[in-house]
Amino acid sequence: LVEKHVNQIAQQIESNSKSVVALGKQCFYRQIEQNDLVNAYNIASKAMCDNLKYEDTQSGLKAFAEKRKPIWSHSDKKVEWEIINFLFI
């Protein structure tokens, strides 16, 4: 039962953008090194804002808004801020 659940979680992670998952892992490892919760939150806040610059993040947000599955490029390509702004208008 545990192995089945672990495999399901692994499949969910695997189905996401590899570049965005890598950003999340980098953030996590920077956070766990912190002795102060405020510093850990600041690291996560910066990572979330930086994450918005990535093509795959934009693809995922757009797919969510359109109620469809995203198409991942798995690249670390960043997009222009003008493209990002359409999400917040």
Side-chain angles (χ1 to χ4, degrees):
L1 184 63
V2 172
E3 185 176 330
K4 181 180 176 182
H5 189 64
V6 168
N7 286 335
Q8 288 174 338
I9 292 170
Q11 287 173 349
Q12 286 177 326
I13 293 169
E14 188 179 51
S15 72
N16 291 309
S17 165
K18 290 170 182 40
S19 55
V20 174
V21 170
L23 290 170
K25 287 174 63 176
Q26 289 170 2
C27 175
F28 171 76
Y29 287 117
R30 284 195 314 251
Q31 281 186 294
I32 61 173
E33 294 174 350
Q34 301 302 308
N35 295 325
D36 181 12
L37 190 59
V38 172
N39 288 341
Y41 283 149
N42 288 337
I43 289 169
S45 295
K46 183 179 181 329
M48 286 186 273
C49 290
D50 290 345
N51 191 9
L52 287 173
K53 299 174 188 173
Y54 288 86
E55 187 176 76
D56 272 356
T57 302
Q58 294 300 306
S59 176
L61 291 170
K62 187 173 181 185
F64 177 79
E66 295 172 357
K67 295 179 173 53
R68 62 170 176 80
K69 288 189 175 192
I71 300 169
W72 304 122
S73 68
H74 301 289
S75 78
D76 59 355
K77 182 180 176 186
K78 294 183 180 181
V79 295
E80 298 295 324
W81 278 104
E82 292 81 36
I83 296 171
I84 293 171
N85 289 334
F86 86 92
L87 293 169
F88 302 104
I89 296 174

